[in-house]
Amino acid sequence: IHSFPFFTLTDQLYVHNLDKQCLRCLCYAATSCDITLGCTAGYCGPYKISRLYWIDAGRLVLPEDDPERAGAFEDCALNLGCAQRMVTTYLSKFGKDCNDDNVTDCNDYLKINFNGGYQCTPKLDRNEAGRNWTKRFDVCHQLL
Ligand SMILES: *[C@@H]1O[C@H](CO)[C@@H](O)[C@H](O)[C@H]1NC(C)=O
Ligand SMILES: *[C@@H]1O[C@H](CO)[C@@H](O)[C@H](O)[C@H]1NC(C)=O
């Protein structure tokens, strides 16, 4: 946790209940926010972002890059700031109450990032990967 990366909001997009701590803990849930990870099985970077997620978020790219360029998706997903803009944009579109507690907050954003925005309601404890995400998410909230 000592090397836990610090990052700041890089654009003006406001998403209800998506604060800095939530963005950090979504990153921590996915990979312990390991910014050295590449792509594995189609999921890239510290947030484990898929190409479809990138497309749904509007194909954001690094400054002056071109979304049509091969590698543009990967380069954005591997960059913490670019990935964070992607997550923020995605959640601005897909954010909703996924756990039926009548609020849309970071617990819902966790489910959306794990399950995808189209079908966010399945429980995270149904498989080991989901349990790991939840465990790290909880650890992150205890640490912050
Ligand atoms: C959420 O709102 C619905 C409709 O108002 C209500 O029936 C339900 O009990 C609420 N659930 C919780 C967890 O507050
Ligand atoms: C879950 O976490 C454990 C302990 O870190 C790890 O050994 C295991 O491979 C992880 N499983 C998945 C599916 O991510």
Side-chain angles (χ1 to χ4, degrees), residues 6-14 18 20 23 47 60-63 76 79-89:
F6 180 82
F7 49 91
T8 54
L9 289 173
T10 50
D11 60 25
Q12 302 301 314
L13 194 57
Y14 174 78
L18 182 64
K20 229 187 277 183
L23 271 172
Y47 284 92
L60 297 176
V61 294
L62 289 168
C76 180
N79 176 280
L80 189 59
C82 202
Q84 185 198 338
R85 278 198 295 135
M86 227 195 287
V87 169
T88 303
T89 307

Side-chain angles (χ1 to χ4, degrees), residues 25-52:
C25 289
L26 293 174
C27 192
Y28 200 78
T31 66
S32 304
C33 215
D34 185 344
I35 55 171
T36 70
L37 292 178
C39 298
T40 308
Y43 293 91
C44 296
Y47 284 92
K48 283 203 171 208
I49 290 172
S50 70
R51 183 175 291 274
L52 184 59

Side-chain angles (χ1 to χ4, degrees), residues 40-116:
T40 308
Y43 293 91
C44 296
Y47 284 92
K48 283 203 171 208
I49 290 172
S50 70
R51 183 175 291 274
L52 184 59
Y53 188 105
W54 173 67
I55 292 168
D56 285 340
R59 305 204 306 163
L60 297 176
V61 294
L62 289 168
E64 301 184 31
D65 201 350
D66 172 359
E68 300 298 334
R69 184 184 68 80
F73 151 62
E74 289 84 353
D75 287 353
C76 180
L78 298 184
N79 176 280
L80 189 59
C82 202
Q84 185 198 338
R85 278 198 295 135
M86 227 195 287
V87 169
T88 303
T89 307
Y90 189 90
L91 293 174
S92 75
K93 294 182 178 169
F94 287 93
K96 70 185 195 90
D97 178 18
C98 300
N99 60 5
D100 282 327
D101 65 356
N102 294 335
V103 291
T104 298
D105 61 14
C106 205
N107 295 301
D108 301 300
Y109 301 148
L110 176 71
K111 294 188 86 176
I112 290 167
N113 274 7
F114 186 81
N115 291 325

